Amino acid sequence: MASVTLNHVTKQYAKASQPAVDDLSLQVQDREFLVIVGPSGCGKSTTLRLVAGLETPTGGTISVGDRVVTNTPPADRDIAMVFQNYVLFPHMSVYRNMAFGLHLRRRQLGMTHAQIRARVVSTAEALGLAEVLERSPRALSGGQKQRVALGRAMVRQPQAFLFDEPLSHLDAKLRVETRAELKKLHRRLQITTLHVTHDQEEAMTLGDRIAVMKGGRIHQCAPPLEVYRRPANRFVAGFIGTPGMNFLPGRMEGAQAFAYANGLLRLPAALATAAARYGGGSLVLGMRPEALSPTPFTGQGPDENFIRAKMSWVEPLGDRVDISLVTEGGQVLVCRSDSQVFGKLAMDGIISIYVDLGRVHLFEPGDDGVNITLTRESGHAAA
Ligand code: ADP
């Protein structure tokens, strides 16, 4: 196995106004499972195709281990790509599907038939497919088919794997099962993997690290929980997490109060310090749904830990409910509540949302506004 490194890689398609991949630098470490996640059109597939050699960058270099492969043809890069719509040959057994590529290049690879068989059998054993080698793909479960597609790539013993949304065509239940299987397989086989997906839950559960992408650029690359707890900017905060982070625009009033449309919240000292360091002007308070707890409205005056709101929409999830609320200033917030607590709230009246201010963030204004509170926690500036 080897690392895969992109160094200032750019891809500008001839007629496009913006580069599909914009000065992107990223290293998938040896044996790491790195997931690129981002909305449709952000440049994920182009990045993968550049690494595979199916596209040529207009700038920058790509290396596999110490070898620069920027201009190396795909077949000579020692990288295997598993596509979204992998196709198994339906008329061939699992064994023949897995051995097919090696047989095609047998002379070039200098392998005997016996060596091919030994490699396919040992790969099938590693993937739990030894029992089904003689079966037709039609007689396999979705998860098994996925593993055959993987096995077909593994028998080439590549330096790294590229996965292009390999789970996206599976139904929800199978996707969750196959995802878990893929994760276990990676733990055991430790194959360097670059995986792309638009599904943030898939990214969170699979990745050792996740790279969150938008507009051809990586906005943050870190372990999943770090991205969740310490999002570098507002785009990352909104994209990662279901439901995403809530945002409340406002500005500082005095040293510690955050003033929004119709109220004040008293920020803890560390946040107030971050706001003071940033200087005056507009800011956006970011609150994860779990930092908000709806409580019955007591009828008392303003409290600096609460936001007053009305419920507008409720999504029951069993033990919990997602509640959409509209503040008196017209701002929509979503919070997650225990079903029993929810039962005590008046559906059509005003409620108080308790804000756990130890868990909130402050962002610069704008869709990609930087998280100005990260320096307080990490001691270094956010990317
Ligand atoms: P994603 O995989 O994240 O959905 P892509 O990498 O497919 O995004 O596309 C990134 C951007 O590049 C999009 O704006 C897309 O329209 C554009 N793009 C992709 N392929 C081509 C191409 N062959 N020619 C021109 N533009 C392209």
Side-chain angles (χ1 to χ4, degrees), residues 212-248:
V212 189
M213 193 168 184
K214 181 185 153 194
R217 294 193 304 114
I218 302 285
H219 285 238
Q220 187 170 17
C221 182
L225 282 183
E226 162 121 3
V227 173
Y228 187 81
R229 291 185 184 140
R230 294 147 48 80
N233 65 26
R234 187 170 159 184
F235 160 66
V236 174
F239 188 75
I240 299 293
T242 325
M245 194 180 272
N246 294 291
F247 300 109
L248 192 63

Side-chain angles (χ1 to χ4, degrees), residues 123-368:
T123 306
E125 277 166 2
L127 291 170
L129 293 168
E131 308 298 314
V132 298
L133 273 176
E134 295 315 317
R135 274 198 206 161
S136 137
R138 271 190 293 270
L140 300 180
S141 70
Q144 285 172 322
K145 281 185 203 157
Q146 182 75 45
R147 277 182 276 152
V148 175
L150 201 60
R152 192 167 56 180
M154 276 171 65
V155 292
R156 290 174 42 203
Q157 301 189 330
Q159 294 290 329
F161 280 90
L162 307 177
F163 291 155
D164 185 9
E165 307 237 6
L167 310 181
S168 60
H169 66 294
L170 303 175
D171 68 43
K173 185 162 177 286
L174 194 57
R175 193 161 61 230
V176 172
E177 283 169 19
T178 314
R179 195 164 76 192
E181 222 170 71
L182 204 56
K183 179 87 186 167
K184 275 191 239 156
L185 210 59
H186 182 261
R187 285 239 172 88
R188 197 151 45 83
L189 305 175
Q190 307 255 300
I191 310 165
T192 306
T193 307
L194 180 59
H195 179 113
V196 311
T197 179
H198 65 278
D199 179 343
Q200 57 96 18
E201 195 178 298
E202 183 176 313
M204 295 285 282
T205 50
L206 278 176
D208 293 324
R209 283 187 303 155
I210 63 178
V212 189
M213 193 168 184
K214 181 185 153 194
R217 294 193 304 114
I218 302 285
H219 285 238
Q220 187 170 17
C221 182
L225 282 183
E226 162 121 3
V227 173
Y228 187 81
R229 291 185 184 140
R230 294 147 48 80
N233 65 26
R234 187 170 159 184
F235 160 66
V236 174
F239 188 75
I240 299 293
T242 325
M245 194 180 272
N246 294 291
F247 300 109
L248 192 63
R251 58 178 59 243
M252 293 304 288
E253 205 171 276
Q256 265 189 287
F258 179 81
Y260 59 98
N262 62 313
L264 288 178
L265 290 165
R266 179 169 288 276
L267 300 185
L271 247 75
T273 308
R277 199 172 35 229
Y278 176 69
S282 304
L283 284 170
V284 177
L285 192 69
M287 304 168 286
R288 290 264 176 226
E290 58 270 25
L292 301 179
S293 316
T295 59
F297 180 58
T298 57
Q300 288 165 4
D303 187 310
E304 291 167 333
N305 266 106
F306 289 89
I307 298 173
R308 280 164 57 161
K310 270 190 163 182
M311 280 192 261
S312 70
W313 183 254
V314 175
E315 274 186 48
L317 300 167
D319 57 336
R320 289 162 306 156
V321 286
D322 279 353
I323 310 173
S324 294
L325 304 135
V326 183
T327 67
E328 289 177 331
Q331 190 74 29
V332 176
L333 302 174
V334 178
C335 66
R336 202 155 254 201
S337 166
D338 192 272
S339 294
Q340 291 188 348
V341 174
F342 168 69
K344 299 194 182 96
L345 301 174
M347 188 65 204
D348 52 355
I350 291 176
I351 60 169
S352 294
I353 311 168
Y354 172 75
V355 185
D356 183 351
L357 288 161
R359 295 165 76 186
V360 303
H361 299 264
L362 282 172
F363 297 91
E364 287 177 346
D367 291 348
D368 300 339

Side-chain angles (χ1 to χ4, degrees), residues 11-16 18-21 36-49 55 164-165 196-198 213 216:
K11 176 67 184 179
Q12 172 74 58
Y13 287 110
K15 291 192 182 129
Q18 306 259 333
V21 174
I36 298 182
V37 63
S40 177
C42 73
K44 307 179 291 291
S45 300
T46 303
T47 305
L48 214 62
R49 292 168 62 80
E55 300 282 358
D164 185 9
E165 307 237 6
V196 311
T197 179
H198 65 278
M213 193 168 184

